[in-house]
Amino acid sequence: MTCARWLVLLAIVSCCQTAPAAETGSRTEKPNLIWIWADNLGYGDLAVYGGRSVRTPAIDRLAAEGVRLTQYYVAHTVCSPSRAALLTGRQPFRTGVVDVLRPDSPTGLANEEITLAEALRSSGYATQAIGKWHLGDRPQYLPCRQGFDSYLGLPYSMDMLPTLLIRDDRVERRLPGEEVAHVTEWLTDEAIRFVTANKDRPFFLYFSHTIPHPPLVIPEEFRVGGRSTYEGALEYMDQQIGRLMETLDKLGLREKTLVVFSSDNGPMHSEGKAGALRGRIRDSYEGGVRVPLLASWPGTLPAGRAVDTPAIAYDIFPTLVHLAGGKVPDDRAYDGQDIWPLLSGRGEFHRKAPFFWVYDDRVTAVRDGQWKLHVGRHDRALAQPELYDVESDPGESHNVAAQHPQVVARLQATVNEYEKQIPKVWSLKYPVRDPARLPSGIRRE
């Protein structure tokens, strides 16, 4: 079973013709690209976003040396569709991933999708996925079928059984509980091997941490009295990010590499902090969809800069493809825009369309400028819409729908029109093949 998908790559090459190198603003050399994702990290967890309880010097350094987005959104309130949007540049409903995928799901990210890895590989990049995947655990959906040259990681969340470590398209082993504590270190070892092996060519590393998603099993040295396991997990993750950054420094790659750190959705209900924002995972309120994003590229991006202009996950695809000298394919609908002007501080940027959040086949919220209209929850429509001015009220504590009926009517009309393109979602029940799994796939012990 090979990792190459020649037919797809031929299609990508035909539509990803080289773009002018001047689009990067100052470089003619293709940059290395590293995307680092935390799993369920809250907006208020990090010191650089107002958190006070966790020490994260490596992440703090990314902020000090780069750009911090204060209004960056994920495209969905839960992980699988959020990840699909990031990797494809498209709304999750376009990709067929509309909710959390469970172990043994017969579905996954459609092979017809062009992923960021495929687009970058066609531009000459080495590509590797490391860590949590959660876009389908069957062989046809794993990273090596989605444009990645290699993969080491876990197919879904840490609360789903069994805990499998997959190498490329094979299960390398099942991890007993005590070994899970060292997964983050192992994954970082693999990341260091990848960047070292590819130091002389452009590379794309997609590094998706399994923490701080529960259950949190971490080394004893990070279990310090008086501190929560969650806080210890963040410091453990930060330590490992620091190891990767030190490797880039030693290899002389730091000024050749764009490193982006973010989260796939808001925090779980039991752990994590959303700061002053309302809501958590599964909520379209700000706490469920507004997450940290730090972008660092010394010598190219300005240091210590905060950007207040809203951006969203499906902007990442066109941004990185253009940085790599490629062109976004024109044979399908894309939802994002190139946000390089926001990151670099050079050039103008004008948002062309509102942000919509969709759960299954229903819009739950829309943001347009200062206004955000909520029309549903993940499981039901609202009896009456809620309107918030999220520029002046990011905590969404004052529903001003009654004071601005024209705004409500306008945004409701955009929702009604947008929903016409969303396909119907049918509930799907399927058996699990592995007797070691609970029917739900979720860890309960």
Side-chain angles (χ1 to χ4, degrees):
M1 190 174 294
T2 177
C3 291
R5 293 172 53 198
W6 297 111
L7 293 178
V8 174
L9 285 179
L10 287 172
I12 297 170
V13 171
S14 69
C15 60
C16 291
Q17 299 300 317
T18 301
E23 287 187 12
T24 63
S26 63
R27 298 179 59 88
T28 56
E29 183 182 2
K30 292 179 180 179
N32 303 315
L33 303 170
I34 297 180
W35 179 271
I36 303 175
W37 235 345
D39 194 1
N40 290 15
L41 179 75
Y43 186 86
D45 280 329
L46 302 177
V48 293
Y49 284 89
R52 298 182 178 181
S53 61
V54 182
R55 297 181 294 272
T56 53
I59 294 173
D60 294 350
R61 178 187 168 192
L62 290 177
E65 294 180 346
V67 179
R68 174 172 57 93
L69 270 59
T70 62
Q71 296 191 63
Y72 173 75
Y73 293 96
V74 289
H76 203 280
T77 64
V78 293
C79 56
S80 296
S82 176
R83 292 160 188 268
L86 183 283
L87 284 173
T88 65
R90 287 153 51 84
Q91 272 279 12
F93 69 80
R94 302 191 198 281
T95 72
V97 182
V98 296
D99 203 344
V100 177
L101 294 176
R102 306 294 183 182
D104 273 346
S105 171
T107 63
L109 182 63
N111 292 126
E112 292 78 13
E113 292 296 325
I114 297 173
T115 68
L116 188 52
E118 287 170 320
L120 293 174
R121 190 160 71 174
S122 73
S123 291
Y125 278 69
T127 60
Q128 179 161 20
I130 295 176
K132 174 179 169 178
W133 177 240
H134 218 164
L135 289 171
D137 65 356
R138 299 197 176 195
Q140 64 266 34
Y141 301 121
L142 291 175
C144 284
R145 300 293 189 91
Q146 303 285 2
F148 290 98
D149 299 325
S150 56
Y151 172 58
L152 180 69
L154 293 86
Y156 31 70
S157 298
M158 293 297 290
D159 61 345
M160 297 180 178
L161 291 175
T163 306
L164 303 175
L165 187 66
I166 294 179
R167 170 82 65 179
D168 294 338
D169 52 15
R170 304 182 315 278
V171 175
E172 191 165 270
R173 56 180 164 146
R174 296 190 181 207
L175 299 178
E178 63 273 11
E179 290 192 3
V180 173
H182 304 286
V183 163
T184 302
E185 182 178 351
W186 296 343
L187 297 177
T188 304
D189 291 343
E190 182 75 6
I192 289 172
R193 282 192 290 270
F194 172 74
V195 301
T196 302
N198 293 281
K199 60 184 176 61
D200 296 323
R201 63 175 294 191
F203 60 75
F204 170 50
L205 172 62
Y206 175 77
F207 191 166
S208 183
H209 284 282
T210 62
I211 53 180
H213 193 296
L216 292 170
V217 182
I218 59 176
E220 285 299 320
E221 64 189 276
F222 290 94
R223 294 180 177 274
V224 181
R227 299 176 61 75
S228 70
T229 304
Y230 185 90
E231 292 168 335
L234 292 184
E235 295 187 359
Y236 176 39
M237 179 178 66
D238 182 80
Q239 181 203 61
Q240 299 305 310
I241 291 173
R243 290 181 58 216
L244 178 58
M245 302 306 297
E246 289 171 5
T247 300
L248 295 178
D249 289 334
K250 291 176 182 177
L251 295 173
L253 297 177
R254 191 64 190 90
E255 294 187 354
K256 300 178 181 180
T257 306
L258 170 63
V259 179
V260 186
F261 173 84
S262 190
S263 175
D264 63 343
N265 48 247
M268 299 287 278
H269 294 280
S270 57
E271 297 277 11
K273 298 178 178 65
L277 305 179
R278 177 183 179 182
R280 303 174 84 82
I281 187 172
R282 289 193 184 272
D283 293 328
S284 294
Y285 291 115
E286 296 289 281
V289 293
R290 189 189 294 202
V291 298
L293 185 136
L294 306 172
S296 177
W297 185 359
T300 299
L301 292 182
R305 181 167 174 263
V307 176
D308 295 329
T309 305
I312 195 164
Y314 41 67
D315 292 333
I316 302 302
F317 184 98
T319 303
L320 297 190
V321 168
H322 290 158
L323 278 177
K327 184 179 179 181
V328 174
D330 59 6
D331 63 341
R332 63 198 65 200
Y334 283 90
D335 297 284
Q337 295 177 231
D338 184 345
I339 59 170
W340 182 248
L342 298 183
L343 298 177
S344 66
R346 296 187 292 270
E348 296 184 356
F349 179 82
H350 301 286
R351 180 59 64 182
K352 298 177 181 178
F355 299 158
F356 292 90
W357 286 274
V358 179
Y359 210 114
D360 286 344
D361 49 18
R362 180 191 305 114
V363 171
T364 58
V366 56
R367 176 169 180 180
D368 188 12
Q370 75 193 84
W371 301 112
K372 188 174 176 189
L373 186 74
H374 291 265
V375 296
R377 301 286 185 267
H378 73 275
D379 56 351
R380 69 185 188 281
L382 292 178
Q384 296 294 330
E386 301 172 5
L387 180 69
Y388 300 95
D389 180 346
V390 289
E391 294 288 357
S392 62
D393 178 26
E396 294 171 294
S397 56
H398 304 290
N399 179 6
V400 294
Q403 291 93 321
H404 299 279
Q406 299 91 345
V407 176
V408 173
R410 176 176 64 83
L411 292 179
Q412 182 67 69
T414 66
V415 167
N416 295 343
E417 185 64 25
Y418 194 78
E419 284 187 332
K420 292 178 181 179
Q421 65 181 308
I422 302 174
K424 176 67 178 175
V425 173
W426 298 92
S427 61
L428 176 66
K429 294 183 179 180
Y430 56 89
V432 294
R433 294 168 294 161
D434 190 330
R437 293 180 172 125
L438 295 177
S440 66
I442 302 299
R443 188 190 305 268
R444 295 299 185 193
E445 73 268 27

